[in-house]
Amino acid sequence: MSDGSKNGSDSRKDALLPVEVWPELERAESLARGAALKWASGVFCRPEQLERLGQYKKRESQRTSSIHSRLKSVVQSYLEGVGWGLEQLREARADLRDVSHTLQKVGAEAKRSVTGASNLESLQELADNHCQLLAAVSNLPRLYLVKSKVLETERLVESRRLLEAHAHLMELERWQDEVLLQLCAPGGRGGGGGPSLAPQDERMVRDYFSGVGRLVEALGRELWTVVGSSLVLARQNPTLFVSAVRIIEREEALDQALLEERGPGVWAAPGSSKPLPPGRPRCWREHFFKVIEEAVSARFRSVSYLHTRGPGLAGHLSALQHTVMGDLATVRHLLEQCVPPHYRLTQAYLRACHHCLQSHLAQVSSWDLESGEIFAVLNWVLHIYSSADMMGHPDLVAERAEEDLGPLITQEGLEQLQNKYVQSVQRSVSEWMHKALEVELTDWQRDEEPDTDHEGYYHTSLPTIITQMLEENARVAFMISESLRDQTIQMGLFEMENLLNRFRDALVEFGKEHRKETNSENKFYLHYLLASISNCIILKHSTESLQRQLRSPLTGRFSRTPPGPLTALERAVKKACRLVMDQLLLDLQPYLQGLLTRSWLTQGNITPKLCGILEHHLELYTRVRPPCRERLQEESQWLTVVEYVRALMQKRLVCRNMDERLQLAERMSQDAHQLRDVFQSTEPEGTESEVNYIALLSVLSDFIKLRDPSMLSLEVSGLVAKYPDIGEEHVLVLLEVRGDVTRDIRGTVLDIVERTVPKLPSGYRPMFSDILVPAPSMPFCLPTPKCA
């Protein structure tokens, strides 16, 4: 029956069946009708629009026809594709039927071939046995010669005829390999269809050729001995070294050929045509470089370690430098010519030297080193090793550039070494400062004047020792690096601060001991106080110079700044100046007791003596470095005026009439003039002091000689404005010294003082605040209502 008749019968059967209506189709049709109804109700909402009904109907008919034509073309193309696919399926079914018939024929032929192959197994076994017997017969002459060949090769190795010995060894190995290969024939005693070798056969062959293995070991030992002594041989006769390198290259080529043929792995690689010979691969080239590294290490061990500690460490490092550079020159100029270019022997030796130096310097760094030893190590690592005299040599720069060898000592190791260096220097600096301070304290007890410098200033050896020591340590540390210089300077400033604190305590004890001495045994007490002040000024300049050298802030145990050495210096200077003023007050005290008394008023011989003491002290102050010299002169002037006013406040002299007031005022004016001349006489020519505390004496003199008491209120107002720290008790004493002030005037003046509360101007130094007025003695009086 044809396919067309089948299709016709099928269509007739489908026509007789009831038509199945899909729910989706009904839903789509209802939606379409609804949409059409909605559209028509919107278009034909007015009667006049029905005139265009024909146009709308014609347009919708055209649209419907277009849609039907597109649907028909789509369905037609789909049916054509289905038909083509069915045709392909029919052709594939026919091809599969042909293939199936062919496979059945092949299977039948294979069964017949297996039956025929089983009849040839006995013949195959006879052929294998015949091949093995033939191999044994052909190898008998070689087997008889194995023992003698081994002995001859051993003699060649012992006599260092390495190339001949290696040629004999290669011949013996080839015989061994051929025997093993002939025993390992397909279908041999090992059974199976692939290459195999029975264990007993392999053991027998290895036992017979056992001398070959010993020869390999003996030749290897001799080769490594030659390679290890290559530096010596290169200077004498490099022929033996060249022979060793040639043998190593032959072995390396054999290893590569065997590995490429059989692949790396076990003795017999699966699927390989030949077994891998025993002891292969030997990797003698790799071992060559290991021996080179061991030889370099032995060269380092040969450098004497005796007298390495202490000053000998620098000599040891210098010997290492000469050894390394000499060996590198030998390798570069001699050994490099004896090996293939791809060996890069100079680079290998350089790498070995670097690693050995890393290990050796790590061991040296772990020792308990002193500062000089640490400096030698750091200088050698950071400067000498990379300089042109060593690894920075022009011939070695290219070799080093190709491989990053890393630093000799890690950054952490360098930091630890630098910290150990700073700690060691600190111990030394602390010890020297302690000794210098002891010498300074001994100098204070000398019965002679301190030394003077070229400018005439007092000084001792303390600042010179401290300054030179700190500057020398900073200079030495800078030879290593700026960071180490900064750490050393910071440490030195830290130790200087400690020294200055102890120095101040020593000054305090010096002053106490001097006050305890009744006969003033130390005649030069004041001189050494002044020398101490000059020393502090020198140390201040040194400290500022060191601080200016610091490039960056530090962190660590010496990083703290407050209070700092400058603050400690200021405290020490203040204490020394205070002791100088105490001594001045002690020398002036006998004459201050007689000031502003009746005898002073009538005789007038006390002030010249007081001025003589001042002149002596001021003359000594000129031996102090500026600015402390001006500071001492200012302090002495302030102290003299304050003590003078304090004597006035004690009311040792109360005027009884106008003549005494004039005489007192005149005497005070003369004293002020004499004191001013004394202080001006010590000032450098062409300069004028910024302070003038003596002017207070002239002001008080004018206050006392004022004739009209009613003008005292105005005078007091000016006095309070000029000296705002003056109190009511001070003004009251001045009024009592005059002796002519009535109660009303006194009340008026005190009211003015009480109402006037001026502020202290900036830069003003109080004078009356340090002067205490004695409490007035209460006069005896009868109990009257007024007193009550």
Side-chain angles (χ1 to χ4, degrees), residues 462-463 466-467 470 493 496-504 507 532-545 547 563-577 628 631:
L462 178 67
I466 301 302
T467 300
L470 295 181
L493 297 178
M496 183 183 287
E497 180 183 350
N498 295 335
L499 169 72
L500 292 171
N501 291 332
R502 295 195 300 269
F503 183 77
R504 182 181 179 278
L507 285 174
S532 299
I533 296 174
S534 293
N535 291 343
C536 289
I537 297 174
I538 297 174
L539 291 176
K540 179 182 179 182
H541 294 161
S542 175
T543 300
E544 292 173 345
S545 174
Q547 288 181 338
L566 293 179
T567 304
L569 274 167
E570 185 64 25
R571 292 175 67 241
V573 169
K574 284 184 178 179
K575 187 60 184 179
C577 291
C628 286
R631 180 176 178 177

Side-chain angles (χ1 to χ4, degrees), residues 39-199:
W39 176 79
S41 61
V43 173
F44 302 107
C45 58
R46 291 191 299 272
E48 61 271 12
Q49 293 177 342
L50 291 175
E51 296 176 357
R52 302 173 60 185
L53 177 60
Q55 296 178 2
Y56 284 114
K57 184 176 180 180
K58 183 178 180 181
R59 187 181 66 184
E60 291 302 323
S61 298
Q62 293 176 353
R63 183 185 299 174
T64 302
S65 300
S66 175
I67 292 172
H68 285 171
S69 61
R70 287 200 300 271
L71 285 174
K72 287 179 180 179
S73 63
V74 169
V75 171
Q76 181 64 30
S77 62
Y78 174 74
L79 291 176
E80 290 177 355
V82 170
W84 180 82
L86 292 175
E87 183 64 27
Q88 294 293 322
L89 288 174
R90 283 193 294 269
E91 293 178 359
R93 184 177 60 182
D95 293 340
L96 287 174
R97 188 181 299 113
D98 296 340
V99 171
S100 177
H101 292 318
T102 305
L103 288 175
Q104 289 176 2
K105 294 177 181 179
V106 171
E109 291 294 333
K111 290 179 182 180
R112 287 193 296 270
S113 299
V114 170
T115 304
S118 60
N119 298 329
L120 298 176
E121 289 181 357
S122 57
L123 183 60
Q124 179 68 37
E125 185 176 357
L126 290 174
D128 293 340
N129 292 335
H130 178 75
C131 290
Q132 292 179 0
L133 290 174
L134 180 62
V137 172
S138 61
N139 287 320
L140 279 177
R142 296 178 181 177
L143 295 176
Y144 287 133
L145 294 175
V146 167
K147 299 295 183 180
S148 60
K149 202 78 168 178
V150 168
L151 294 175
E152 183 182 359
T153 307
E154 287 178 348
R155 286 194 297 270
L156 292 173
V157 171
E158 292 174 358
S159 61
R160 284 198 168 184
R161 296 165 63 182
L162 301 181
L163 288 175
E164 297 180 35
H166 186 253
H168 286 224
L169 177 61
M170 292 178 65
E171 188 175 4
L172 287 171
E173 287 181 334
R174 186 174 68 253
W175 293 354
Q176 179 184 7
D177 293 345
E178 289 177 358
V179 170
L180 289 174
L181 288 174
Q182 290 173 0
L183 290 176
C184 185
R189 298 183 183 183
S196 62
L197 182 63

Side-chain angles (χ1 to χ4, degrees), residues 645-662:
V645 176
R646 180 178 283 114
L648 180 64
M649 292 294 127
Q650 292 176 359
K651 295 185 293 185
R652 300 172 184 171
L653 179 62
V654 178
C655 300
R656 292 172 292 192
N657 50 48
M658 186 62 189
D659 293 338
E660 288 188 355
R661 285 194 294 275
L662 294 176

Side-chain angles (χ1 to χ4, degrees), residues 252-323:
E252 191 70 19
L254 286 173
D255 287 344
Q256 293 297 326
L258 291 172
L259 289 175
E260 290 175 1
E261 181 180 356
R262 299 168 180 83
V266 295
W267 178 79
S272 62
S273 59
K274 297 180 181 180
L276 196 64
R280 294 289 183 179
R282 291 187 180 139
C283 303
W284 277 7
R285 185 191 293 169
E286 180 181 351
H287 195 70
F288 170 85
F289 291 103
K290 291 182 180 179
V291 173
I292 289 291
E293 293 180 1
E294 293 173 0
V296 172
S297 179
R299 290 283 290 172
F300 275 87
R301 290 193 297 269
S302 67
V303 178
S304 176
Y305 277 74
L306 297 177
H307 311 294
T308 300
R309 304 301 301 274
L313 181 58
H316 171 70
L317 294 175
S318 179
L320 281 180
Q321 176 185 355
H322 292 303
T323 300

Side-chain angles (χ1 to χ4, degrees), residues 625-681:
R625 288 182 172 274
C628 286
R629 178 179 61 190
E630 292 78 7
R631 180 176 178 177
L632 288 174
Q633 293 173 351
E634 178 184 343
E635 288 290 330
S636 60
Q637 184 180 157
W638 182 87
L639 176 66
T640 303
V641 173
V642 168
E643 293 300 325
Y644 195 102
V645 176
R646 180 178 283 114
L648 180 64
M649 292 294 127
Q650 292 176 359
K651 295 185 293 185
R652 300 172 184 171
L653 179 62
V654 178
C655 300
R656 292 172 292 192
N657 50 48
M658 186 62 189
D659 293 338
E660 288 188 355
R661 285 194 294 275
L662 294 176
Q663 188 178 2
L664 174 61
E666 181 64 23
R667 178 64 66 184
M668 289 180 63
S669 178
Q670 292 177 2
D671 289 353
H673 182 72
Q674 293 181 20
L675 292 173
R676 185 178 295 107
D677 291 342
V678 169
F679 284 106
Q680 288 180 352
S681 65

